Amino acid sequence: MRSSCRAGGALGAYQAGVYQALDEAGLDPDWISGISIGAFNSAIIAGNPPGVRVEKLREFWESVTQPFVDWHPPAAWLAEAEASGSLAPQPSDFWTFASNLLPALNFDASRGLLNQWAAGRVLWNGTPGFFALRPVTPWFWPGSSMRATSYYDTSALKETLERLIDFDRINDGPTRLSVGAVNVQTGNFVFFDTTKDRIRPEHIMASGALPPAFAAVEVDGEYIGTAGLSQTRRCAGWSTAARNGTPWSSRSISGRRAAIFPTTWLA
């Protein structure tokens, strides 16, 4: 069986649930591919034996969805969540409880307010084991520094991937893994595959390196970013703009190599 996990942030949590259903049905992929967050899930699946894959997926998603300052729900809620075996970190009646805290608002309004609060918390604090806001904004870093190209530091992500994934199993095991990304200097797709490449944490991180949040990752002398870059703006435009000190302009995707690597994000 072949499986493909696409990009889409929160869609990755859905993919984890789909794999759980496949695992319970006894279906085991022999070739799995992924892009961006899908590459994370695919690597966790390929880098673990069938008996522990769901456990590792759950550990990843529970770790990256926890706030830096955690709020612990009542014990009864924890028991309900554990009994349901759900990957979701919050039980089904969480939003009802939240609405009761805000009686002046109806259910949908209070849920929307809390959603905005949660998004803002991640924007300013980051996510444990995944990314953290750089203490100094990229605008204040010189163009020669990679810190000038992103708002968040993803150093913790490498440690998380190394903890949850056996990369020797990925490269030598029975499940083929393919990961899609983009060379930010050419704007062209690149594909890493265990039939021809030795996959490392950097390959997985590069597939999810979405600017200006996350900086491109150096892989074998090339700077690689998420595959969505090839479908939006050509990175050579950013290079030219950075060199000239003017706002970047969009260009069509082509195979022509950029003169220099993008050194800043200007808008």
Side-chain angles (χ1 to χ4, degrees):
M1 184 184 75
R2 299 177 180 179
S3 299
S4 178
C5 299
R6 58 169 293 179
L11 180 62
Y14 171 81
Q15 295 168 1
V18 170
Y19 179 77
Q20 179 178 357
L22 293 175
D23 182 70
E24 292 171 353
L27 298 175
D28 184 22
D30 53 16
W31 183 4
I32 187 166
S33 62
I35 288 178
S36 192
I37 194 65
F40 297 179
N41 285 332
S42 297
I44 292 173
I45 293 170
N48 286 283
V52 299
R53 289 172 175 172
V54 172
E55 174 188 342
K56 294 296 184 179
L57 284 168
R58 179 180 286 110
E59 184 177 348
F60 172 75
W61 282 100
E62 288 184 348
S63 67
V64 302
T65 54
Q66 292 299 316
F68 278 104
V69 179
D70 198 7
W71 173 77
H72 299 282
W77 287 11
L78 293 175
E80 178 186 342
E82 182 177 356
S84 67
S86 172
L87 288 175
Q90 295 166 334
S92 58
D93 61 346
F94 173 79
W95 297 112
T96 301
F97 172 79
S99 296
N100 292 335
L101 292 179
L102 302 169
L105 301 175
N106 59 34
F107 182 86
D108 289 336
S110 58
R111 179 169 183 167
L113 180 63
L114 289 169
N115 279 341
Q116 293 298 318
W117 172 81
R121 183 199 68 210
V122 172
L123 181 67
W124 290 106
N125 294 334
T127 298
F130 195 160
F131 62 91
L133 185 67
R134 296 190 187 279
V136 178
T137 177
W139 297 97
F140 294 141
W141 286 101
S144 59
S145 172
M146 285 298 293
R147 296 179 180 87
T149 66
S150 67
Y151 289 99
Y152 297 96
D153 178 11
T154 57
S155 301
L157 177 59
K158 183 178 180 180
E159 298 177 3
T160 298
L161 295 176
E162 290 175 336
R163 175 170 54 85
L164 296 177
I165 298 170
D166 181 350
F167 282 90
D168 288 334
R169 181 181 179 87
I170 283 183
N171 293 293
D172 303 324
T175 304
R176 179 179 177 181
L177 174 65
S178 302
V179 175
V182 158
N183 184 313
V184 301
Q185 292 177 274
T186 66
N188 291 333
F189 271 109
V190 291
F191 294 94
F192 305 112
D193 193 290
T194 50
T195 60
K196 62 182 181 65
D197 301 297
R198 193 78 184 173
I199 302 298
R200 308 188 303 273
E202 289 80 4
H203 294 87
I204 310 304
M205 295 172 64
S207 183
L210 176 64
F214 310 139
V217 178
E218 185 176 3
V219 178
D220 299 329
E222 300 284 350
Y223 283 94
I224 309 297
T226 188
L229 288 172
S230 72
Q231 300 171 357
T232 51
R233 298 288 187 264
R234 186 171 186 269
C235 298
W238 303 331
S239 297
T240 304
R243 181 180 57 194
N244 297 336
T246 58
W248 64 267
S249 59
S250 62
R251 298 185 181 182
S252 299
I253 297 297
S254 73
R256 184 177 59 192
R257 186 176 181 84
I260 59 175
F261 176 74
T263 55
T264 187
W265 297 104
L266 300 174

